[in-house]
Amino acid sequence: MVEINEKVSIDGKETGIISGSIHYFRVVPEYWQDRLEKLKNMGCNTVETYIPWNFHEEKKGQFNWKGGHDVFKFIELASKLGLYVIIRPSPYICAEWEFGGLPYWLLKERGMRLRCSYKPYLDAIKSYYEELIPRLVPYQHDKGGNIILFQIENEYGYYGTDHAYMNFLADTMRSLGVTQPFVTSDGPWVEASFKNGRVEGAWSTGNFGSQVETQFKAMENYVGGNKAKMCMEFWCGWFDAWGEPHHTSDLEQNKKDLADVIKTGHVNFYMFEGGTNFGFTAGRNFGVKNADITSYDYDAILTEDGQITPKYEAFKKIISESRKIEEVPLSTKISRKAYGQLKCTAKTDLFAVLDDISKKTSSPYPLTMEDLDQSGGFILYRTRLPEYEKALSIKFDRAGDRVNVYENQKQLFATAIEDMKEAFKREDAPAGSVIDMLFENYGRVNFGPALETQRKGIEGYMILNDHLQHGYDIYNLPLDEEQLAKIDFTKGYTQGRPAFYKYEFDADELCDTFLETKGFEKGVAFVNGFNLGRYWNIGPQKRLYIPAPVLKKGKNTVIIFDTEGKEGSLSLEDSLVW
């Protein structure tokens, strides 16, 4: 039995929770055991993870619990190591993850309302929970498993005030068999936000990274002094956005804050290991300027690729002063290798293969990614001007996030939509041109009030010479394995167009490595069909992490899709560079 009163007790024994966040969905499954062993060896007795809804139900009604999606295997591995689990299965998770974990298909309904008591939204949650929650129930502590806490929603106090919605989530989980204590987590520095996120009977916990005594005192004032105190997200690092410097924390301050937390209450390190936003899973905060990078290194206790850091050693020492650490041997052999320079074996531009890899949809008005059942990646709109009209002015009504515009397959301009304060204008142009608009989804916002505005591509219209332009051929470009397999690299290449570049290399041993995209400007990289994520030469990330399990002995293939048509060179190095 798990009881939360002035103290936390498990099976009648007072227990101090020292937990670390490991997101199974940001780590290849072959490395789950390694990360959990390192967590235990630092002195933690608990692991915490979110469950992203959109990771498991990417298409409505189609659930994936296999391979890297098998959260239940992750829980079982933790159990074998004697670790408790804090599970955070709320429909919204934030986590700097695409759309905060919400599935894109919710936005197919134009009237959708999120994170509130809107029936279609609640119905979708219930359908998802009917698949997920019964699978989690057997792993609860009172059923012989190791899950000790369930989070109801995530930082809801920042978002809204619909207490009926929060109660719906709790009641639905209870009706499906959840018997363990509930928790909520919010920032305790604003009383209204902290109280907005509360649910009667749930353990109210705080998210913060400093000023421990002040934060715990505020929580005590809000919820009363007779409850145990926990920092559910002890921020010992921070995430990065494109174009920003890489964030690092002050280790001496971290050490002081950790000692204060352990002295006063319970803690969950956010993050123990950050991992990687593989594919198109990185989210963004508010605007395009806050799009998150592919690496979720977070300046965490372990590096993105699971290496032990000085922060790990320092925290381990502090933890060891209050409890005995029982270490286990590390069972997974992991090494790094620089495979060196790669050779480009073929290249072709997007326009040469467009009709091969994507079936066009024709429409008198633009359709969004969501309208066409596409989650992430790119979408291209092609429109033909009348023989009497010139494209002297172009702007967009309700579009996102970034666009490359081509006239007769020559680039006119590229811009983030939020930077396009005025229309693109010029004095003269050819008449009757074909205009191509390649839109990129930077990632739907994961935090703040803009969740319901996250449809991608063109939601309104292209506005041509101050009137609406009608008539579009639309090409979906999710760049999944099926599309990559259809690329015919013999179709031709014209410099300056969005293009695919193919590289090959041989591997005699399988090691972690890092892809350097020197000279390329912006795009996405794939290794053996596996989407490593986005790269961008504005940094701060200069290399993409490739876990060894993605490679294979013998020939390996790397494909680069550069939206700017800038050809560079590739090499595989043995470290991440900021």
Side-chain angles (χ1 to χ4, degrees), residues 7 165 237 314 415 419 568:
K7 307 289 185 180
Y165 161 62
T415 185
D419 289 340

Side-chain angles (χ1 to χ4, degrees), residues 148-222:
I148 58 171
L149 298 170
F150 280 78
Q151 182 168 287
I152 297 174
E153 233 260 14
N154 191 64
E155 296 183 329
Y156 186 71
Y158 288 131
Y159 186 81
T161 60
D162 190 343
H163 296 289
Y165 161 62
M166 294 290 282
N167 288 325
F168 166 84
L169 296 177
D171 292 345
T172 301
M173 283 194 276
R174 287 285 187 231
S175 72
L176 292 169
V178 171
T179 53
Q180 295 305 284
F182 282 136
V183 298
T184 60
S185 62
D186 288 278
W189 46 83
V190 179
E191 181 175 4
S193 292
F194 195 81
K195 289 186 173 179
N196 286 342
R198 291 187 62 198
V199 173
E200 188 67 32
W203 186 18
S204 297
T205 66
N207 296 347
F208 54 85
S210 60
Q211 299 180 314
V212 174
E213 292 182 7
T214 301
Q215 309 289 12
F216 275 155
K217 182 63 177 176
M219 292 165 58
E220 185 176 309
N221 292 338
Y222 302 157

